Amino acid sequence: MDLCLSVFWWAKFHKKKGGIKVHTLYDVETQIPAFFHITEASVHDSKVMIEIPYDPSSYYIFDRGYNNFKILYKIHQIEAYFVVRVKKNLGYKSIQWKRRLPKNVLSDANVLLTGFYPKQYYPKPLRLIKYWDEEQEREFTFITNAMHISALQVAELYKNHWQIELFFKWLKQHLKIKRFWGTTENAVRIQIYAAICAYCLVAIIQHDMQLDRSTYEVLQILSISLTNKTHLRDSLIKLNFKRTKNDSDQMGQVCLIFNSSQF
């Protein structure tokens, strides 16, 4: 999130630009953030990987900023799985290839890292997959320790990464964190915490009541029913609500988590 450095003096990024990052672990199954950590924008994404709580048998999806092989190896050691989009300058050597590849999978090989530090931090073989995305008309390269699933499943896992971008877009549009009421670091943090807590509460209500409404609709109904004595379920089920073309029912900058029972 970009901030004016002259107003938010503590949010250092560049000489003339300020900002903060909300590093988030987003649970795709529940569609709520399982963990988030707020830092100045100058803090590199990979530095926060050590703060994330990892669970065995889960799948973690990372973007290119999270090529921290020391932490990735710790994920591997607890028998969890990761899919990471690799940087272009990654050094590796192929040790085994798969010959019969499904459509849009350009390459599927087991590799060893060759960089001075990466090969020390991650001494085990990794799986490197090159995939052609027809929708975006571009090539993606992933590394993963998930040797037991197909290359297409790896690509599908990474596609869910975009849900976290939609989650942040939803927060900014509907929970008013484009503008901040205070300028201190504490004020900004409190406003972000409040927004994410509000989203989680709405998502819990939507899930527990098994409502046939979008998260946005539930939020809007709750906002106009806070002083209403009508039972909450009656308000959420009976109240007519007109959607606009800008309303989004899609949810959910760091990584995603899956349960291994899906595979």
Side-chain angles (χ1 to χ4, degrees):
M1 300 179 185
D2 293 334
L3 298 173
C4 178
L5 191 58
S6 62
V7 178
F8 301 89
W9 66 94
W10 49 270
K12 298 178 181 178
F13 188 27
H14 296 305
K15 289 183 178 180
K16 298 181 180 180
K17 185 178 180 181
I20 57 172
K21 289 181 180 179
V22 185
H23 308 265
T24 306
L25 175 66
Y26 184 80
D27 191 319
V28 172
E29 292 180 332
T30 61
Q31 294 193 344
I32 60 173
F35 165 87
F36 66 96
H37 183 65
I38 302 172
T39 67
E40 300 170 0
S42 58
V43 177
H44 194 274
D45 297 340
S46 63
K47 299 291 184 183
V48 185
M49 289 178 70
I50 194 172
E51 305 288 343
I52 299 173
Y54 301 102
D55 295 321
S57 301
S58 295
Y59 289 79
Y60 295 89
I61 316 304
F62 297 94
D63 206 356
R64 278 190 301 194
Y66 299 89
N67 280 221
N68 185 329
F69 292 102
K70 185 181 289 187
I71 304 300
L72 292 178
Y73 192 58
K74 289 183 178 180
I75 295 174
H76 175 74
Q77 288 179 312
I78 67 167
E79 298 183 352
Y81 305 99
F82 58 82
V83 176
V84 188
R85 187 180 169 197
V86 302
K87 295 180 178 179
K88 292 182 179 180
N89 62 349
L90 179 69
Y92 63 89
K93 64 177 180 180
S94 301
I95 56 176
Q96 188 177 9
W97 298 265
K98 288 190 176 181
R99 303 296 182 184
R100 296 181 179 179
L101 300 175
K103 181 182 178 182
N104 295 332
V105 176
L106 307 179
S107 175
D108 186 356
N110 291 344
V111 302
L112 288 172
L113 301 178
T114 58
F116 180 77
Y117 289 110
K119 71 179 181 182
Q120 295 182 54
Y121 294 151
Y122 204 106
K124 298 289 185 178
L126 283 164
R127 186 179 179 188
L128 187 140
I129 296 169
K130 294 183 179 181
Y131 176 79
W132 176 257
D133 191 311
E134 291 183 341
E135 293 181 6
Q136 300 186 53
E137 296 185 345
R138 58 186 298 195
E139 179 182 317
F140 289 89
T141 304
F142 314 114
I143 54 170
T144 180
N145 65 333
M147 305 294 187
H148 59 290
I149 61 177
S150 70
L152 289 177
Q153 284 179 314
V154 172
E156 286 297 321
L157 281 171
Y158 187 80
K159 282 184 179 180
N160 283 278
H161 166 267
W162 298 110
Q163 291 191 42
I164 203 162
E165 303 294 343
L166 295 172
F167 165 70
F168 275 110
K169 182 180 179 181
W170 195 93
L171 282 183
K172 291 178 181 179
Q173 286 181 342
H174 305 309
L175 292 176
K176 303 185 186 302
I177 56 172
K178 284 185 176 180
R179 297 179 180 178
F180 293 96
W181 299 323
T183 59
T184 66
E185 181 178 3
N186 194 48
V188 171
R189 285 177 177 271
I190 289 173
Q191 189 169 338
I192 294 173
Y193 293 151
I196 293 179
C197 287
Y199 170 79
C200 290
L201 289 171
V202 172
I204 290 170
I205 292 172
Q206 182 187 23
H207 177 268
D208 289 352
M209 291 190 173
Q210 298 181 346
L211 300 172
D212 188 22
R213 291 185 181 273
S214 70
T215 308
Y216 176 72
E217 288 175 338
V218 176
L219 176 66
Q220 291 297 91
I221 293 170
L222 290 174
S223 68
I224 63 175
S225 307
L226 292 177
T227 59
N228 195 328
K229 294 184 178 179
T230 305
H231 193 277
L232 182 59
R233 178 176 290 276
D234 292 336
S235 296
L236 292 171
I237 293 176
K238 296 179 181 179
L239 185 63
N240 291 325
F241 186 84
K242 186 177 181 180
R243 295 176 65 105
T244 68
K245 63 179 181 180
N246 294 324
D247 297 342
S248 173
D249 187 27
Q250 293 181 316
M251 292 293 103
Q253 231 147 205
V254 177
C255 62
L256 308 179
I257 176 174
F258 294 79
N259 190 285
S260 60
S261 62
Q262 293 177 310
F263 298 95

